[in-house]
Amino acid sequence: MPLTVSRLRFWFATAAIFLAVVVAGFYFYGRLRARYALSQVPKQLGVDIQQSTQGFTLSKSEAGHTLFTIHASKAVQYKESGKAELRDVSVIVYGRQSNRYDQIYGSDFEYDPQSGDVTAKGEVHIDLEGNAEGPIKPDQAAPAELKNPVHLKTSGLVFNAKTGLASTNERIEFRVPQANGYATGASYDSKAATLTLGSHIVVSATGPGATQFTANHAVIAKGPNRAVFQGVRVARENNTFASDELIAYLRDDNTVEHIVATGNVHATSKGATGADLQAPRGDAWITANNQLKSAVFTGGVRINASGEQPINATAGKVDIAFGSNSRADRVIASDGVKLLQQSHGAKPSNAVEVSAAAINFELNDGRSLHQAVTSGAAQVTVLPPAADQNARTVATAGQFQARFNRQNRLEQLVGAPDVKVVSYEPGKPDKTSTSDRLEATFSVSGNIETLVQDGRFHYLEPASPGGSSREAWADRATYAPQTGALTLTGSPRVIDGGLTTTADSIRLERQSGDALGTGNVKTTYSELKPQPKGAVLASSDPIHVTAPSVRASRNGGVAIYSGGARLWQDASIIQAPVIEFNREQRKIVAKTAEQSAGAVITTFVQLDDKGNSTPVSIRSAQLTYTDAERLARFDGGVAIRGADTTLLADHADVYLLEQGQKTAKSSAGPSQVDKIVAEGHVAIQQPTRRATGEKLVYTAAEGKFTLTGGPPSIFDAERGKITGDSLTFFSRDDKVVAESGNASPTVTRTRITR
């Protein structure tokens, strides 16, 4: 873009200035020749010749300075026609400041006194040359060195001394060291100081990087000094520029100061990262040393950039500031800016749309974007590669800063303060997060790699139909779009319905709804409804769980705590390497872990008939408990320890009473044992009694133990050993009932220490 605008400014200005001087020069020549040259020609020189002179010279001075000199090798006036001819004419224009050395010359001119027309019969040439040393040298002194004069050539020029109008329908050519050009037809109004170029205006650069400027029509005028071109087009290598009208405002030294392009302003740049700019109006300002200073496009600007990451941008106004070598350093888009970057090709990526009141772009070497900073209300929208544009993520902040790589690809986006991110997905509730700062990084393919929110992070996911809401807080949140995981660090806390979890780090899987917490995990299940038919977890009091890590599934409400977990409600406690808790079913699966020491330890609190609490501890390899069934199943080697009884078995089923239910021998309370069924290598140890068997059925209401299989046996330190097919004894007396085959039951009383 800088090269295109610079070439445009240089070449159309050159054409305008040079052609204006051509016609003005002929005006001076024709006017002065008519007034002075012919009046000095002798009157009688022959039959057809009225006057003739050899070596004609004329000059005009003002304030001691010569303005111009005219020299002709011969002047002839014809009697019959009244016309006159000047041969081999040379005009040198010094200017009022003696700072010019412009030369005008031609071989044949004709003057008609009747019509006032001065007509060039052949070619007319002009060499334009400045003379900076002229004001300090003697009058009419030539420059010490002619430095690349501007050369112009035309023919058929007609000047009317009466009207002050000069015109030609012929081709006008000019040549400078860097370019040459031509136009077809021109007219000059000396009174209005206006030059009009008819059509087919063409200027071509002669150096490397060919540039061509064309226009359909042009007018050069004064007050202010300006050149107005119609139907402009500039082409240079892979760059083009076009507009319906282009006006160049000139300084007093005829250098271009300001360019105004209006009507279908259109600039293009082709290539791997081509660009296309369109606007109703474009202005450019040029420095005195021929460099672009600034430019502005107004009225609604559209920019399209091609390549692997196409960019489409719109703005009401675009300001461009140029640095050295007319390269754009900064671009400010304002009045409602929208910028959309998307990908094409085999690997589609996220499309990113930025909208703001204004965006300030900084460029590298005038070619590629370096960074962009928004001002005013700003919004960034990330669209998925899929065609469904209803799914999107929208971020707002007080300001966004974007950084680009050398291929104009977005690398990083930073927003602050007052960041808000909303994710929209069809059929699901909107997910909203807020923070003090946001930072997004992008891959080379244009996809978001990470999205980080820092400072007072808050996340809210409203409840879906039939579900619960989810809310989270943390110092920092990192989102990975590839996995859909949101990782919270810095005192994270998550509330999901009536569940609150804290940990060193919490990861939320946004697609599945699962959550993973690591380090000092603590979960509290609150807002529980009482379970009238339940037992261990029947209370409405909160359930607490701690563990080094947890993985929770939102669908089904299952959470797996590992690394050494502890779950409790009121006085009921379960400890295990792994605890799987289903809050919807109030089901617990506690077990040991592979290659991990430790066991499942379950603690119930029994209440005796006096209301005293008696802890019951159960050690096993696995526990499965469902509160609705009030059944705790222990496997993998079980050890049940009460106040004065220890029970060992391969596995045991413990049946509990309903919450609040009491027996004749005990008060109402949680986790009251109703019955125990133990199997496999059963052993019972009491202070003075030891019993073994293969199966035990214990009934709490009666304090009754029934042993079978093995066969069962009871050893009393004082009475000895008792065996039978079935042995029944009681915890509240010393009676033992032994049954064997068809024999009658045998009752043996043993001493039991109270």
Side-chain angles (χ1 to χ4, degrees):
M1 179 61 70
L3 291 176
T4 300
V5 176
S6 177
R7 292 291 187 186
L8 166 63
R9 188 268 312 147
F10 180 77
W11 297 128
F12 88 72
T14 301
I17 297 168
F18 295 169
L19 293 175
V21 174
V22 171
V23 180
F26 281 111
Y27 162 68
F28 283 127
Y29 164 73
R31 178 180 177 187
L32 293 171
R33 180 182 60 75
R35 290 186 178 181
Y36 299 100
L38 295 179
S39 65
Q40 304 299 320
V41 177
K43 295 183 178 180
Q44 299 292 333
L45 292 179
V47 177
D48 293 327
I49 300 176
Q50 182 178 348
Q51 295 176 345
S52 177
T53 185
Q54 301 291 329
F56 171 79
T57 300
L58 176 67
S59 65
K60 182 178 180 179
S61 298
E62 184 180 283
H65 295 284
T66 301
L67 299 179
F68 58 83
T69 63
I70 302 175
H71 177 77
S73 64
K74 186 177 181 179
V76 179
Q77 185 171 7
Y78 294 93
K79 184 176 180 180
E80 290 184 358
S81 64
K83 298 180 180 179
E85 290 187 359
L86 290 179
R87 303 289 177 85
D88 300 326
V89 177
S90 174
V91 181
I92 299 177
V93 180
Y94 302 98
R96 293 183 181 277
Q97 305 298 326
S98 299
N99 59 355
R100 301 296 307 171
Y101 196 78
D102 300 330
Q103 301 180 67
I104 307 170
Y105 49 94
S107 60
D108 192 1
F109 294 86
E110 180 183 84
Y111 172 62
D112 185 349
Q114 296 297 322
S115 65
D117 289 339
V118 179
T119 304
K121 305 300 291 184
E123 290 185 347
V124 179
H125 298 265
I126 291 184
D127 291 331
L128 302 178
E129 175 74 25
N131 186 10
E133 299 177 351
I136 61 175
K137 285 195 172 185
D139 191 33
Q140 299 186 30
E145 180 182 1
L146 296 178
K147 299 180 180 179
N148 299 324
V150 177
H151 181 75
L152 302 99
K153 181 177 69 173
T154 188
S155 62
L157 181 69
V158 178
F159 172 76
N160 188 275
K162 297 179 180 179
T163 63
L165 298 177
S167 64
T168 180
N169 294 323
E170 303 300 322
R171 178 186 176 102
I172 300 175
E173 299 180 358
F174 65 86
R175 184 177 69 251
V176 295
Q178 298 87 3
N180 55 60
Y182 60 88
T184 301
S187 63
Y188 180 72
D189 185 341
S190 61
K191 295 180 181 179
T194 301
L195 170 67
T196 301
L197 302 179
S199 62
H200 303 299
I201 303 167
V202 177
V203 182
S204 300
T206 57
T211 302
Q212 186 176 73
F213 169 90
T214 62
N216 298 332
H217 186 75
V219 176
I220 295 92
K222 293 184 177 181
N225 296 344
R226 64 194 183 279
V228 182
F229 294 87
Q230 305 293 332
V232 174
R233 179 176 174 82
V234 180
R236 182 183 185 276
E237 296 178 336
N238 293 323
N239 303 321
T240 64
F241 176 87
S243 66
D244 294 344
E245 181 178 89
L246 189 145
I247 304 175
Y249 293 93
L250 311 177
R251 299 183 179 90
D252 291 338
D253 61 356
N254 287 330
T255 58
V256 178
E257 181 179 30
H258 181 197
I259 298 173
V260 179
T262 56
N264 297 309
V265 177
H266 191 187
T268 63
S269 175
K270 297 180 181 179
T273 56
D276 184 288
L277 181 148
Q278 299 180 54
R281 174 176 173 135
D283 289 66
W285 286 264
I286 316 298
T287 65
N289 60 350
N290 200 29
Q291 297 291 317
L292 274 170
K293 179 181 179 181
S294 61
V296 59
F297 295 91
T298 55
V301 185
R302 300 182 66 87
I303 302 175
N304 298 316
S306 60
E308 294 182 6
Q309 300 290 322
I311 296 177
N312 306 107
T314 59
K317 179 182 178 183
V318 174
D319 290 270
I320 305 174
F322 295 88
S324 60
N325 298 322
S326 296
R327 290 177 175 173
D329 285 340
R330 186 175 66 255
V331 178
I332 300 176
S334 56
D335 297 343
V337 184
K338 283 190 177 182
L339 185 150
L340 175 64
Q341 184 176 55
Q342 52 192 340
S343 70
H344 286 165
K347 295 182 178 180
S349 61
N350 298 103
V352 180
E353 183 182 77
V354 181
S355 60
I359 302 179
N360 187 339
F361 297 91
E362 293 184 11
L363 289 81
N364 293 312
D365 301 326
R367 297 179 181 274
S368 60
L369 290 172
H370 171 59
Q371 71 172 10
V373 180
T374 67
S375 59
Q379 175 177 293
V380 175
T381 302
V382 180
L383 303 172
D388 186 4
Q389 298 301 304
N390 292 322
R392 63 195 187 280
T393 300
V394 179
T396 57
Q399 183 184 81
F400 284 102
Q401 295 184 1
R403 191 180 71 233
F404 300 82
N405 64 13
R406 286 287 181 176
Q407 289 72 42
N408 286 337
R409 293 172 179 166
L410 186 60
E411 281 188 330
Q412 182 190 56
L413 182 69
V414 177
D418 303 325
V419 175
K420 182 178 181 180
V421 180
V422 182
S423 295
Y424 302 92
E425 191 172 351
K428 295 183 179 180
D430 299 340
K431 303 176 180 66
T432 303
S433 62
T434 59
S435 62
D436 294 336
R437 181 179 181 273
L438 176 146
E439 179 177 335
T441 59
F442 295 80
S443 66
V444 294
S445 61
N447 287 309
I448 297 179
E449 288 187 328
T450 58
L451 184 66
V452 179
Q453 290 185 250
D454 286 310
R456 298 182 297 175
F457 173 79
H458 176 234
Y459 174 78
L460 176 62
E461 184 178 340
S464 57
S468 60
S469 63
R470 176 183 278 179
E471 200 166 1
W473 295 262
D475 293 334
R476 180 183 177 93
T478 302
Y479 178 62
Q482 295 81 359
T483 61
L486 180 65
T487 302
L488 310 179
T489 55
S491 304
R493 177 166 58 101
V494 176
I495 296 178
D496 192 342
L499 182 152
T500 301
T501 299
T502 61
D504 294 341
S505 173
I506 299 176
R507 188 177 76 188
L508 303 178
E509 307 288 351
R510 297 183 61 179
Q511 293 299 323
S512 64
D514 293 353
L516 175 64
T518 56
N520 299 307
V521 175
K522 181 178 180 180
T523 301
T524 299
Y525 296 86
S526 56
E527 301 179 9
L528 299 175
K529 295 181 180 180
Q531 295 259 79
K533 300 294 184 178
V536 176
L537 306 177
S539 171
S540 61
D541 294 340
I543 298 173
H544 305 281
V545 187
T546 60
S549 66
V550 62
R551 183 170 191 89
S553 173
R554 207 174 188 199
N555 294 328
V558 177
I560 300 175
Y561 298 85
S562 58
R566 186 172 187 264
L567 180 150
W568 72 95
Q569 184 186 49
D570 298 327
S572 300
I573 302 172
I574 299 172
Q575 298 181 82
V578 177
I579 295 179
E580 179 180 318
F581 177 58
N582 187 321
R583 63 171 173 171
E584 294 182 2
Q585 298 180 8
R586 296 200 190 185
K587 179 179 179 181
I588 299 173
V589 177
K591 55 188 176 182
T592 58
E594 295 182 3
Q595 301 178 348
S596 174
V600 178
I601 299 176
T602 305
T603 301
F604 298 141
V605 176
Q606 294 290 95
L607 298 178
D608 59 19
D609 52 0
K610 297 180 180 180
N612 297 321
S613 298
T614 302
V616 176
S617 176
I618 305 175
R619 184 183 183 93
S620 64
Q622 179 169 316
L623 161 67
T624 303
Y625 173 75
T626 302
D627 205 50
E629 299 175 356
R630 303 188 306 281
L631 169 63
R633 174 160 291 174
F634 298 91
D635 293 296
V638 182
I640 303 176
R641 291 180 174 84
D644 55 5
T645 301
T646 298
L647 169 64
L648 304 177
D650 291 342
H651 63 266
D653 290 339
V654 178
Y655 296 88
L656 304 173
L657 294 173
E658 293 180 7
Q659 171 77 12
Q661 184 179 359
K662 64 179 182 179
T663 65
K665 300 293 184 179
S666 66
S667 302
S671 309
Q672 292 292 296
V673 175
D674 181 27
K675 184 173 67 172
I676 298 176
V677 177
E679 294 181 300
H681 304 93
V682 176
I684 301 172
Q685 182 68 53
Q686 293 180 333
T688 61
R689 178 187 293 167
R690 184 174 184 275
T692 61
E694 285 301 312
K695 181 177 181 180
L696 166 70
V697 176
Y698 168 71
T699 304
E702 303 173 275
K704 177 181 177 182
F705 296 85
T706 301
L707 272 172
T708 57
S713 64
I714 298 176
F715 177 79
D716 182 272
E718 222 177 84
R719 302 294 179 95
K721 182 178 182 181
I722 303 173
T723 62
D725 293 336
S726 172
L727 298 178
T728 301
F729 58 93
F730 300 86
S731 59
R732 296 181 179 89
D733 57 33
D734 58 356
K735 182 175 66 173
V736 176
V737 178
E739 296 183 357
S740 178
N742 296 323
S744 300
T746 302
V747 177
T748 303
R749 297 190 179 276
T750 61
R751 185 181 63 190
I752 299 177
T753 303
R754 299 290 183 179

